[in-house]
């Protein structure tokens, strides 16, 4: 009779693979240590603005990369989150003391300019910060739920869904501009000063908000990673590749699509709220079709299947946009277009594809080379 050696139980679906932990450590090191050390206050605040766009790209990885749902209207949810936060900040800046020169003190200045004499009912709850924070998460999620339920239960998808989301972005932009007395119109909501009494216009406040922004981004990455590794994530991937097979297996495809769309909306809304805090205003120029398409480009350049690639893609595209516009003001659009064409033709999987093809194999070989050789236990057969 022989004595068998017990087998080691290996987790086939770890939360993160070793190389993913390396990617996370690299990202954290760059945005938390390297960039704050190298950049001045103005440039760091600029990077903070870029990171707010990363929330949208991260949501698109879940929605488009995993779920196969291409949304060209994510600026809607980015703008909703930004406007909801701006409403609270504007009310705090519109105290009776600060607005005593107006015809009607105690209301935002653009309302007074449009001869509105009383604060609208839907503005009043936003005098509370806890209500505002909850609304930033709930309102975009509810809006996405209504859209997703209406579309996905009728099996509207692909190009048709993308066009419909574009139309929604255009409609919301027109609505915001047209209702100038309630939304600030084309100028948006500006002159935001304090957050619960804390002045957000100083360099020190911008630095603190940068780190809060970066921390929330890392938290969203970890949450998205948990979704990716769960059964829900595997169903999303299967649904993207073989939707009919998933439906015939008994799963409610519409419900899973709606969840992915709502999660992407919540991520985008968090980014919009942080944008308002980081930059100090919100306008309809971040809600329409053009910014929504740019947000899709961020995910495409980074790699629509990579959570970390979404962040790197956002940083790269916005850095290139800023650099080209500063150095070549007449040619920067051509340079940016050339970058997109290069990525699409040469690297269809984006920066994440380059990393997986050229960098990750070398890192894996180096890690294995540093690992000690496993000890071999000799066992003798016993009768």
């Amino acid at each position: 009779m022989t004595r068998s050696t017990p087998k080691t139980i290996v987790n086939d679906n770890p939360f993160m693979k070793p190389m993913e932990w390396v990617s996370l450590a690299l990202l954290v090191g760059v945005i938390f240590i390297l960039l704050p050390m190298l950049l001045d206050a103005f440039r760091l605040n600029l990077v903070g603005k870029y990171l707010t766009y990363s929330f949208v790209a991260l949501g698109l990885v879940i929605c488009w990369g995993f779920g196969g749902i291409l949304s060209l209207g994510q600026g809607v949810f980015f703008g909703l989150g930004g406007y909801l936060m701006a409403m609270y900040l504007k009310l705090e800046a519109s105290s009776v003391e600060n607005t005593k020169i107006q015809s009607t003190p105690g209301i935002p200045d653009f309302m007074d300019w449009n001869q509105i004499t009383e604060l609208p009912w839907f503005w009043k709850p936003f005098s509370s910060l806890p209500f505002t924070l909850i609304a930033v998460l709930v309102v975009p999620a509810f809006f996405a739920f209504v859209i997703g339920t209406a579309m996905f239960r009728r099996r509207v998808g692909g190009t048709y869904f993308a066009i419909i989301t574009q139309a929604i972005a255009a409609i919301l932009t027109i609505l915001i501009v047209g209702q100038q007395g309630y939304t600030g119109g084309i100028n948006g909501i500006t002159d935001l000063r304090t957050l619960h009494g804390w002045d957000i216009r100083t360099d020190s406040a911008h630095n603190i908000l940068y780190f809060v922004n970066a921390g929330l981004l890392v938290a969203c990455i970890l949450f998205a990673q948990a979704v990716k590794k769960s059964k829900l994530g595997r169903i999303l991937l299967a649904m993207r590749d073989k939707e009919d097979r998933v439906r015939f297996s008994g799963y409610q495809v519409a419900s899973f699509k709606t969840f992915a769309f709502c999660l992407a909306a919540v991520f985008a809304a968090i980014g919009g709220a942080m944008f308002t805090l980081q930059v100090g205003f919100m306008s309809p120029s971040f809600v329409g079709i053009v910014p929504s398409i740019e947000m899709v480009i961020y995910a495409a350049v980074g790699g629509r299947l990579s959570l970390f690639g979404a962040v790197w893609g956002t940083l790269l595209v916005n850095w290139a946009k800023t650099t080209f516009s500063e150095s070549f003001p007449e040619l920067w659009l051509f340079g940016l277009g050339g970058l997109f064409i290069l990525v699409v033709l040469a690297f269809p999987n984006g920066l994440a594809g380059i990393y997986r093809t050229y960098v990750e194999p070398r890192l894996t070989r180096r890690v294995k080379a540093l690992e000690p050789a496993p000890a071999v236990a000799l066992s003798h057969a016993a009768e």
Side-chain angles (χ1 to χ4, degrees):
M1 182 176 179
T2 59
R3 183 176 58 191
S4 60
T5 305
K7 296 182 179 179
T8 303
I9 299 175
V10 180
N11 185 5
D12 295 331
N13 188 35
F15 179 71
M16 278 194 187
K17 297 178 182 178
M19 288 299 101
E20 291 176 325
W21 285 112
V22 172
S23 299
L24 178 61
L26 178 62
L27 180 64
V28 169
V30 169
I31 63 178
F32 279 94
I33 301 175
L34 186 62
L35 292 179
M37 289 176 56
L38 297 179
L39 301 179
D40 56 25
F42 172 77
R43 294 291 177 181
L44 189 64
N45 187 50
L46 200 61
V47 174
K49 184 180 76 170
Y50 301 162
L51 290 179
T52 63
Y53 301 144
S54 297
F55 288 91
V56 189
L58 190 65
L60 281 167
V61 171
I62 295 291
C63 180
W64 179 32
F66 297 164
I69 308 163
L70 176 57
S71 171
L72 297 180
Q74 291 304 102
V76 169
F77 307 111
F78 184 84
L80 280 175
Y83 266 96
L84 294 174
M85 179 57 69
M87 290 169 71
Y88 168 78
L89 299 176
K90 189 62 177 177
L91 286 179
E92 188 167 326
S94 302
S95 63
V96 175
E97 181 180 354
N98 292 335
T99 58
K100 58 185 177 182
I101 63 173
Q102 295 180 178
S103 301
T104 306
I107 64 173
D109 47 13
F110 56 83
M111 293 184 184
D112 187 64
W113 300 337
N114 287 273
Q115 300 180 354
I116 295 176
T117 58
E118 185 180 358
L119 190 67
W121 63 269
F122 57 87
W123 270 75
K124 292 180 180 179
F126 289 93
S127 59
S128 169
L129 180 58
F131 177 87
T132 302
L133 296 178
I134 294 173
V136 166
L137 303 177
V138 173
V139 172
F142 176 76
F143 193 40
F145 176 79
V146 172
I147 297 172
T149 302
M151 295 296 105
F152 298 137
R153 290 193 182 278
R154 291 168 175 77
R155 301 189 183 182
V156 176
T159 306
Y160 299 102
F161 182 78
I163 294 174
I164 289 172
T165 54
Q166 271 194 329
I168 294 172
I171 291 170
L172 186 59
T173 303
I174 295 171
L175 181 64
I176 292 173
V177 173
Q179 298 297 318
Q180 181 173 334
Y182 301 105
T183 63
I186 192 66
N187 295 321
I189 301 179
T190 59
D191 193 26
L192 308 178
R193 305 175 185 178
T194 59
L195 173 66
H196 204 59
W198 176 49
D199 193 344
I200 60 174
R201 297 169 295 179
T202 63
D203 288 342
S204 61
H206 288 161
N207 291 338
I208 294 173
L209 289 171
Y210 170 85
F211 286 105
V212 173
N213 189 17
L216 286 174
L217 180 61
V218 172
C220 288
I221 290 175
L222 294 176
F223 185 84
Q225 180 71 13
V227 172
K228 176 184 175 182
K229 290 297 182 178
S230 66
K231 182 180 179 180
L232 173 60
R234 295 193 293 272
I235 292 175
L236 288 176
L237 291 174
M239 182 182 68
R240 180 197 64 192
D241 298 330
K242 297 290 183 180
E243 181 177 324
D244 289 337
R245 184 171 296 180
V246 174
R247 182 177 289 109
F248 295 152
S249 298
Y251 292 101
Q252 295 291 332
V253 171
S255 299
F256 288 103
K257 284 188 173 183
T258 302
F259 170 80
F261 189 51
C262 290
L263 182 59
V266 170
F267 283 173
I270 295 173
M274 291 306 304
F275 176 90
T276 299
L277 290 169
Q278 194 86 45
V279 180
F281 75 96
M282 175 53 66
S283 76
S285 60
F286 300 99
V287 179
I289 296 174
V290 174
S292 297
I293 294 177
E294 286 186 354
M295 292 166 183
V296 174
I297 292 173
Y298 303 155
V301 171
R304 67 187 182 98
L305 296 176
S306 172
L307 299 173
F308 302 106
V311 180
W312 293 117
T314 304
L315 293 176
L316 174 64
V317 173
N318 283 279
W319 172 82
K321 184 177 178 180
T322 301
T323 303
F324 291 153
S325 62
E326 290 177 349
S327 303
F328 311 100
E330 298 179 356
L331 302 175
W332 72 273
L333 282 176
F334 295 99
L336 199 59
L339 174 64
F340 299 154
I341 294 173
L342 176 65
V343 170
V344 171
L345 293 181
F347 309 106
N349 293 323
L351 298 176
I354 299 174
Y355 174 80
R356 284 193 295 265
T357 303
Y358 299 103
V359 179
E360 186 173 341
R362 296 183 180 182
L363 289 177
T364 303
R365 288 196 296 267
R366 289 180 178 273
V367 170
K368 289 184 178 180
L370 295 175
E371 291 180 353
V376 179
L378 300 178
S379 59
H380 299 279
E383 296 185 5

